[in-house]
Amino acid sequence: MSIYLRNIIRFALLILIQVLLLNRIPLNWWAPPYIAFVYPLFILLLPISTSTNFLMVFAFFTGLTMDAFMNTGGIHAMACVAMAISRKRVLAFLLPQRLSEYQNATPGPKIMSWGSFLTYAAILMLLHNLIYTLIEVWTLQSFWYFVVKTGITFLTSMLFVVIYLLLFTKSVNRKTFD
Amino acid sequence: MRKFLLLIRRFWTLILFITLEVISIYFIAKSRSTQGIDVINSANATVAYFYQKEQNIVSYFNLKRVNTELLNENTALRNQLFYRQSVDTFKTVSAKIPVFDYSKIDRNQDSNILAQPVTMTIAENPPLKVVRYAEYEFIPARVINNSISNDRINFITINQGSEAGIKPGMSVVSSVGIVGRVEHVSKHFATIASVLSNRKVSARLKLHEAYGQITWVPGHPDFVQMDDIAITLPIKLRDSVLTTGFASFPANIPVGTVSRIDTVKSNNTLSLQIRLATNFRTLAFVYVVVDGMEAEKEKLEKKNQSAR
């Protein structure tokens, strides 16, 4: 499967999971109702060699699609673009080789090991959730509400990200487990 | 100029980032204000199409719950309706009767024939008298087994039994017409002998006040027959037939419509074929009618029989 087709399918799949499943189940496990986000994974899983400009444009339109489904104006687009611009730095920090050496490789547990991939995902998801919650809540009147909401959104989002990866990654890093 | 272009090229990523963020902020500001959400919202054709498709599929999952809710609501409305229908109220009213005062009658003048004006006064606080001649309550039930093909008697099984207060002999109606009468009751289930049986139901024509009995002719689950109708009545096709309220069925429940009129030459009467209002092939929900006054009525009528 070509890398374009794979990314297009992943985009559709993630948007569908987000819209049809996760948006339908507002969780209120510990706190105010919130929604876990899994679709930013699309931006996380774009090929490593994608230039930041393209990444931002893709992220913008991904976010805009979510905004259309969730009636949130441009909040998702904003958070996604912020994710996209910081992706390269985080990757460069975590990967051992220069980024240009990974041709068409997708960041994932396959080439990064679970530990560093989860760090990478956690940093960017936290950024996304921070921006999203900040604009959604809009006021910092009750600071703890904001912190708690961001925290649990982040934790459950990471949970769903891991579940998605376990479900849809072909072979889960055989090298590490050998 | 060249330097400017170089500058743009150098900071191109940053410029793009800022542009995109500004666009996002613009969208946010626009959608959060009261002036319309134009493009980016779920009323957008594509997005709405997706939601529509999703709803088409997902709505089936809720169908059972929605049905139950509607059934309960219908029962409540039906109970209210029949509560109001079977009640008459009146107040005591006193009226003054005009009296002729013959001593004052002037033959030449017509004007002062009446000595007293006609007045009608309502007493100060007239006691409101209530006449209640029926008391019906409906119990909703779901049909779990249904037969229409038997020749002598057809049974319907419902998912409510003695625990819900159902007793043998109660009548059963659907939302559009009559269904039958409860035959056997267990704790959680009950069987109904439907109208498609050799049980008789009294009925009347809506327009002509002609009473008769309905019998089922085996063979077709859509039609029943009503015999011995006076030949003088100008009955037309599609006249409504309703229940009488004499037996356990509440009054004015639709039975069906006249679908064929036959003249019986031997005794000069009409025999009507009636298309049932209830479709027994697709019957799904029924209401069991609890008649609160039936016991009293039966007790009284038993005295008649013993006197005979």
Side-chain angles (χ1 to χ4, degrees):
Chain A
M1 212 181 337
S2 86
I3 196 144
Y4 299 103
L5 190 63
R6 189 180 304 172
N7 275 294
I8 288 166
I9 289 172
R10 187 185 292 135
F11 175 77
L13 188 66
L14 279 168
I15 294 285
L16 284 180
I17 290 176
Q18 182 69 48
V19 170
L20 300 184
L21 288 178
L22 293 186
N23 287 0
R24 295 278 148 184
I25 28 174
L27 305 161
N28 42 1
W29 284 346
W30 303 287
Y34 61 97
I35 288 166
F37 296 115
V38 78
Y39 80 96
L41 203 55
F42 170 70
I43 302 156
L44 295 180
L45 293 183
L46 280 172
I48 294 176
S49 51
T50 323
S51 83
T52 313
N53 297 339
F54 277 116
L55 211 61
M56 282 196 295
V57 174
F58 288 145
F60 181 71
F61 284 106
T62 315
L64 223 52
T65 316
M66 275 320 295
D67 283 325
F69 276 107
M70 291 181 68
N71 290 331
T72 42
I75 305 180
H76 283 293
M78 198 174 172
C80 284
V81 172
M83 265 177 82
I85 200 173
S86 29
R87 195 186 98 141
K88 202 169 186 178
R89 273 151 219 255
V90 179
L91 270 179
F93 175 71
L94 286 169
L95 284 173
Q97 286 157 299
R98 293 171 66 114
L99 293 188
S100 53
E101 285 170 33
Y102 298 92
Q103 276 299 321
N104 281 347
T106 301
K110 253 185 196 172
I111 48 166
M112 290 173 77
S113 89
W114 273 97
S116 56
F117 178 78
L118 284 183
T119 321
Y120 157 71
I123 293 169
L124 293 180
M125 289 296 280
L126 188 62
L127 183 70
H128 175 277
N129 291 340
L130 264 176
I131 293 174
Y132 177 80
T133 323
L134 186 64
I135 296 174
E136 175 74 40
V137 174
W138 195 240
T139 53
L140 281 180
Q141 250 178 12
S142 71
F143 177 71
W144 284 111
Y145 176 83
F146 167 69
V147 169
V148 166
K149 189 158 181 179
T150 317
I152 51 175
T153 312
F154 168 65
L155 284 178
T156 39
S157 300
M158 283 306 288
L159 181 69
F160 281 108
V161 164
V162 171
I163 290 172
Y164 176 90
L165 286 173
L166 289 175
L167 283 177
F168 293 101
T169 316
K170 259 181 199 162
S171 57
V172 183
N173 202 359
R174 206 168 282 146
K175 273 179 207 157
T176 349
F177 288 126
D178 274 344
Chain B
M1 191 64 199
R2 199 180 123 77
K3 278 202 165 178
F4 180 66
L5 282 176
L6 276 177
L7 194 75
I8 285 182
R9 225 181 114 186
R10 198 176 154 201
F11 291 108
W12 170 229
T13 311
L14 193 64
I15 290 167
L16 185 68
F17 173 71
I18 291 169
T19 320
L20 290 176
E21 291 293 46
V22 166
I23 294 171
S24 308
I25 291 168
Y26 170 73
F27 279 142
I28 295 171
K30 208 177 160 200
S31 72
R32 298 267 145 156
S33 69
T34 43
Q35 273 87 24
I37 310 163
D38 291 340
V39 192
I40 312 295
N41 74 345
S42 62
N44 172 321
T46 323
V47 172
Y49 173 80
F50 265 101
Y51 273 135
Q52 177 77 47
K53 285 281 166 212
E54 187 219 0
Q55 202 52 46
N56 284 348
I57 297 166
V58 172
S59 64
Y60 281 104
F61 303 146
N62 293 335
L63 222 54
K64 198 168 172 185
R65 188 178 54 77
V66 170
N67 266 340
T68 319
E69 275 170 15
L70 285 176
L71 187 70
N72 288 338
E73 194 188 341
N74 274 342
T75 316
L77 291 175
R78 214 163 239 274
N79 280 338
Q80 276 189 23
L81 182 73
F82 274 79
Y83 185 81
R84 301 209 189 286
Q85 270 185 357
S86 55
V87 159
D88 272 347
T89 58
F90 58 90
K91 289 178 176 179
T92 319
V93 170
S94 67
K96 282 188 178 170
I97 300 166
V99 178
F100 288 105
D101 191 351
Y102 288 101
S103 62
K104 284 181 182 169
I105 289 177
D106 188 350
R107 294 273 170 185
N108 301 324
Q109 281 182 327
D110 278 344
S111 59
N112 53 358
I113 285 178
L114 294 176
Q116 281 177 322
V118 181
T119 54
M120 202 156 82
T121 55
I122 297 172
E124 280 288 301
N125 272 320
L128 186 75
K129 294 184 179 171
V130 180
V131 177
R132 165 165 290 283
Y133 41 87
E135 196 176 302
Y136 295 116
E137 197 193 320
F138 292 82
I139 302 170
R142 184 190 288 268
V143 172
I144 54 175
N145 187 24
N146 186 3
S147 79
I148 52 170
S149 55
N150 291 344
D151 270 338
R152 278 192 64 245
I153 185 161
N154 282 293
F155 281 112
I156 298 167
T157 315
I158 57 171
N159 69 343
Q160 299 281 12
S162 58
E163 214 168 49
I166 293 174
K167 293 188 188 89
M170 285 176 175
S171 55
V172 182
V173 297
S174 74
S175 55
V176 287
I178 61 169
V179 172
R181 203 163 293 169
V182 176
E183 196 80 6
H184 305 290
V185 180
S186 71
K187 199 177 175 192
H188 298 292
F189 300 100
T191 52
I192 302 162
S194 72
V195 177
L196 312 176
S197 307
N198 48 11
R199 311 284 199 273
K200 284 178 180 173
V201 179
S202 67
R204 68 180 178 86
L205 284 157
K206 190 184 181 187
L207 297 177
H208 307 294
E209 294 295 324
Y211 297 93
Q213 275 196 328
I214 277 176
T215 47
W216 178 57
V217 185
H220 211 298
D222 288 339
F223 298 104
V224 288
Q225 210 158 339
M226 191 173 174
D227 292 323
D228 299 333
I229 303 292
I231 203 165
T232 48
L233 291 172
I235 293 166
K236 293 198 189 78
L237 288 179
R238 295 195 203 88
D239 277 358
S240 298
V241 179
L242 309 174
T243 54
T244 53
F246 296 161
S248 59
F249 279 109
N252 300 329
I253 302 266
V255 173
T257 52
V258 175
S259 65
R260 206 177 74 201
I261 305 167
D262 294 323
T263 313
V264 183
K265 288 259 170 77
S266 60
N267 56 359
N268 261 2
T269 54
L270 291 179
S271 167
L272 308 179
Q273 192 190 42
I274 290 155
R275 176 179 277 279
L276 284 166
T278 311
N279 185 354
F280 281 91
R281 298 165 202 268
T282 58
L283 197 63
F285 295 102
V286 295
Y287 304 99
V288 181
V289 184
V290 181
D291 189 348
M293 291 187 168
E294 199 184 10
E296 193 184 330
K297 203 169 99 183
E298 256 178 24
K299 203 174 155 192
L300 197 66
E301 282 173 355
K302 225 170 212 172
K303 275 185 187 171
N304 285 355
Q305 282 182 355
S306 60
R308 223 179 268 166

